[in-house]
Amino acid sequence: MASAIAPHSDERFGLDRRITLLGPLPLDCGAALAPVQIAYETYGSLNADKSNAVLICHALTGDQYVASTHPITGKPGWWQRLVGQGKPVDPDRDFIICANVIGSCMGSSGPATINPATGEAWGMDFPVLSIADMVRAQALLLDYLGIGTLAAVIGGSMGGMQALSWPVLYPDRVRAALIIASTARHSAQNIAFHEVGRQAIMADPRWRKGAYYADGEVPASGLAVARMAAHITYLSEAGLTEKFGRRLQDKSGADCDGSSFGFDADFQIQSYLRHQGISFVDRFDANSYLYITRAMDYFDLAQPYDGVLANAFMGTKTRFCLISFDTDWLYPTAESRRIVHALNAAGAEVSFVELSSPFGHDAFLLECPEMNRIVDGFLRAGSNA
Amino acid sequence: MTTLRPDLQIIAENVSHGARVLDVGCGDGALMAALRDGRQVRARGLELNPGNVSAAVTRGLSVIQGDADTDLADYPSDSVDYAILSQTLQTTRAPHLVLEELLRIGRQAFVSFPNFAHWRIRASLLTRGRMPVTRLLPENWYNTPNIHHVSIDDFRDLIAQRGWTCDGEWFLSGGKPTSRGLANLLAEHAVFLLRR
């Protein structure tokens, strides 16, 4: 037996991997998923005692391309500011895994993949998922990769929900959890915004109860509107004012001098949002958007514990670090504090910082040296302990 | 441990090995790091300033950004051996309630504070007739975070009035230990170890 595994000579490891696991994966809704397709990437090398695995969990519309070029958009990895050589999560030291969540559309099982019972795309016959189901699928992947315990699990937004769920579902499989700009439950306001998005998709005549895969006539208008509404919640009012204000599109001069007195995109913010919506539909499946937003809405980590969040973490040995941003009104600091309170009550080792940023919820994806320093310090502390 | 502030040095020397500690107002975590490295203490911190929290987390410490006046209620009773409040008491809105919380959370509590009845402060107020600005209290009256100045005798009165037990007291002048006698006049700084 070699003293170290060489991941790049092992077909389980590397960029753009796809694996079909037999399952079945029992789901919270009562159904079971089989087989389970998982698309994932790994960076770096698993060390001899398999102690350096770091799982990155992606957000609602994220994917496994955390630190490599996106195959559709051609854009750099979505968290290259945090993950990469010389970064806090470093392939020279860490063995990094990022998997597309089940329900999504970048290669993992979801409504656009084939239902083995019919030979056609699942559509709305795909079982309704929970955040815990996504985590259980990740655990299945770790089993396949031969990884028992994670050095750390890291996630922002919906990724933070998964990172927070990991030590609850698998207390012996994760030494440290880093939860950024996230929450332990979806609020009424969170659910409300998601409902707007879902209704926009379902109101699109091309949605056809989700059965649009055969002719490729996708509900692009509905999905674009859903993205536009959601995108507003990722920004802050101050950030929007600074970036766009009331400035007009392609016209010089201030205020209303260049208005069309029609319904074109006069304002720069309109044009920006429309662009966000239109470019999103090229890379995302409308049904996946329905399933994942639903999973987020159902998320309430305290629910199986009679509503007492602290009980979810009782006896935990995992170290926790939470980071929130002061202008994030989607998952505001109060939600992180609620988690911290529960972790304290459970006697867990926990750190928490609220960072200042003008960029709202999106701040976790943007350049933030302070966040990088904290992540680095928190992860390194684990290797000394 | 050589670079610790003198009051922190006293606390560090009197925390037992392997104890559980909550450092309220832990700053950049200097005391916590010393306790962890020197005495295998399981230390947690609470700190208001986000820059300080970041610095402490970067040192591998478990520190939560929060306010002693409002966030101590989140901690379970008897969850640590020592709760520590160093040079923070005089900045709190309700010092007596913060102390109650410390003694609820910890079996014992270390409290250190600058003594407002030190002779130099008395002399300054007497001769100049203005709010004293000293080495330990360097801010002007309008921008000082120290909103509840306290003397050693005031603090002893509070201990008696609340029925707490004093398990130890240390006094400092110019960073050096000074005697108990006339401490209220001669000590710049006091450290108390309290118990319910």
Side-chain angles (χ1 to χ4, degrees):
Chain A
M1 181 88 191
S3 62
I5 297 164
H8 296 294
S9 64
D10 186 326
E11 65 182 19
R12 292 175 299 171
F13 306 119
L15 302 183
D16 228 352
R17 302 285 150 164
R18 268 142 223 262
I19 180 67
T20 302
L21 301 166
L22 286 180
L25 178 67
L27 304 171
D28 277 339
C29 68
L33 187 63
V36 185
Q37 293 165 255
I38 299 179
Y40 64 99
E41 301 218 313
T42 73
Y43 316 102
S45 304
L46 191 60
N47 61 13
D49 59 1
K50 302 181 179 181
S51 63
N52 67 333
V54 174
L55 178 69
I56 309 277
C57 302
H58 70 73
L60 165 56
T61 68
D63 47 52
Q64 65 272 36
Y65 305 104
V66 56
S68 67
T69 306
H70 196 280
I72 297 172
T73 65
K75 287 185 178 165
W78 55 269
W79 226 358
Q80 283 196 358
R81 289 180 173 87
L82 197 79
V83 180
Q85 277 184 329
K87 300 291 166 63
V89 186
D90 188 338
D92 286 346
R93 178 181 49 220
D94 306 309
F95 178 65
I96 304 155
I97 309 150
C98 185
N100 191 213
V101 295
I102 55 169
S104 189
C105 52
M106 292 305 292
S108 291
S109 292
T113 55
I114 299 300
N115 177 357
T118 63
E120 290 173 18
W122 282 95
M124 299 305 280
D125 290 334
F126 194 76
V128 171
L129 298 174
S130 67
I131 297 292
D133 294 331
M134 297 174 184
V135 170
R136 291 187 192 103
Q138 289 162 353
L140 219 55
L141 174 65
L142 293 194
D143 293 343
Y144 164 74
L145 297 177
I147 295 162
T149 306
L150 292 167
V153 58
I154 304 172
S157 196
M158 186 184 84
M161 298 177 191
Q162 297 158 56
L164 191 61
S165 300
W166 255 98
V168 175
L169 294 170
Y170 301 100
D172 299 323
R173 291 191 79 169
V174 53
R175 294 201 296 276
L178 186 49
I179 296 104
I180 305 173
S182 192
T183 179
R185 62 171 175 208
H186 242 212
S187 69
Q189 193 186 41
N190 295 148
I191 296 166
F193 273 106
H194 274 175
E195 182 61 8
V196 171
R198 285 189 294 262
Q199 289 301 324
I201 291 167
M202 292 174 168
D204 187 324
R206 285 177 294 187
W207 178 62
R208 292 167 284 169
K209 298 194 186 306
Y212 52 78
Y213 297 109
D215 61 10
E217 290 287 315
V218 301
S221 311
L223 182 58
V225 172
R227 176 63 169 179
M228 289 167 72
H231 200 82
I232 300 167
T233 70
Y234 305 151
L235 309 171
S236 71
E237 195 197 355
L240 280 176
T241 303
E242 186 188 315
K243 195 168 177 182
F244 305 106
R246 292 185 50 79
R247 281 190 292 281
L248 298 169
Q249 186 63 20
D250 291 324
K251 287 161 188 149
S252 54
D255 296 333
C256 296
D257 293 336
S259 343
S260 68
F261 291 101
F263 294 94
D264 292 341
D266 281 359
F267 294 99
Q268 286 183 7
I269 179 61
Q270 289 180 282
S271 158
Y272 170 79
L273 271 187
R274 289 181 189 190
H275 171 75
Q276 289 296 326
I278 290 163
S279 57
F280 181 59
V281 303
D282 294 335
R283 68 171 180 93
F284 215 81
D285 176 51
N287 286 338
S288 281
Y289 197 86
L290 299 179
Y291 275 88
I292 298 175
T293 56
R294 202 72 194 122
M296 294 170 79
D297 289 352
Y298 282 134
F299 184 61
D300 178 4
L301 206 48
Q303 196 190 13
Y305 299 89
D306 300 324
V308 182
L309 186 57
N311 289 346
F313 303 114
M314 253 349 139
T316 186
K317 291 184 190 67
T318 304
R319 295 186 310 122
F320 291 82
C321 181
L322 287 97
I323 299 171
S324 70
F325 292 93
D326 57 357
T327 52
D328 182 352
W329 56 278
L330 187 64
Y331 303 131
T333 291
E335 296 296 339
S336 288
R337 282 202 177 278
R338 181 172 166 267
I339 299 168
V340 170
H341 180 183
L343 286 166
N344 259 332
E349 262 193 72
V350 52
S351 291
F352 162 67
V353 196
E354 180 192 59
L355 296 179
S356 194
S357 164
F359 301 116
H361 182 63
D362 255 358
F364 84 96
L365 293 168
L366 303 173
E367 188 68 32
C368 182
E370 196 70 3
M371 182 176 90
N372 278 29
R373 268 197 295 279
I374 293 166
V375 172
D376 190 60
F378 176 71
L379 293 179
R380 296 295 77 76
S383 48
N384 308 332
Chain B
M1 282 208 204
T2 47
T3 56
L4 278 184
R5 222 170 53 202
D7 61 315
L8 298 182
Q9 186 65 42
I10 288 170
I11 296 169
E13 285 165 4
N14 288 280
V15 165
S16 43
H17 272 267
R20 293 164 304 159
V21 159
L22 173 65
D23 189 353
V24 180
C26 64
D28 65 2
L31 174 64
M32 292 173 67
L35 288 171
R36 174 192 61 188
D37 301 340
R39 301 196 161 230
Q40 290 76 52
V41 162
R42 287 177 53 201
R44 301 208 183 127
L46 182 71
E47 168 62 32
L48 193 55
N49 177 306
N52 278 340
V53 179
S54 297
V57 174
T58 301
R59 296 171 106 144
L61 299 165
S62 292
V63 175
I64 290 166
Q65 188 185 341
D67 186 338
D69 271 305
T70 52
D71 295 327
L72 287 175
D74 290 353
Y75 289 82
S77 299
D78 294 313
S79 54
V80 298
D81 299 307
Y82 303 97
I84 297 171
L85 188 72
S86 60
Q87 300 213 15
T88 301
L89 183 69
Q90 74 281 359
T91 68
T92 60
R93 282 190 294 279
H96 58 306
L97 300 181
V98 169
L99 290 168
E100 291 279 8
E101 286 290 67
L102 289 184
L103 291 167
R104 177 185 66 77
I105 297 163
R107 289 195 304 108
Q108 289 178 292
F110 280 102
V111 182
S112 88
F113 57 88
N115 174 29
F116 202 68
H118 182 252
W119 66 267
R120 211 175 270 121
I121 293 177
R122 295 190 199 198
S124 167
L125 188 57
L126 187 67
T127 58
R128 297 178 62 234
R130 302 184 192 282
M131 282 303 279
V133 176
T134 66
R135 189 173 57 84
L136 285 176
L137 299 167
E139 290 91 357
N140 286 301
W141 66 271
Y142 49 85
N143 63 1
T144 179
N146 304 314
I147 54 174
H148 282 114
H149 286 301
V150 55
S151 74
I152 288 168
D153 282 354
D154 285 330
F155 193 73
R156 283 178 169 144
D157 285 350
L158 184 67
I159 294 172
Q161 184 198 325
R162 295 267 157 173
W164 298 326
T165 305
C166 180
D167 285 338
E169 44 186 35
W170 297 264
F171 305 102
L172 291 163
S173 185
K176 303 257 183 334
T178 181
S179 68
R180 278 195 62 184
L182 295 177
N184 198 45
L185 184 64
L186 300 179
E188 280 181 301
H189 214 120
V191 181
F192 282 83
L193 178 59
L194 305 180
R195 184 158 45 85
R196 250 165 302 167

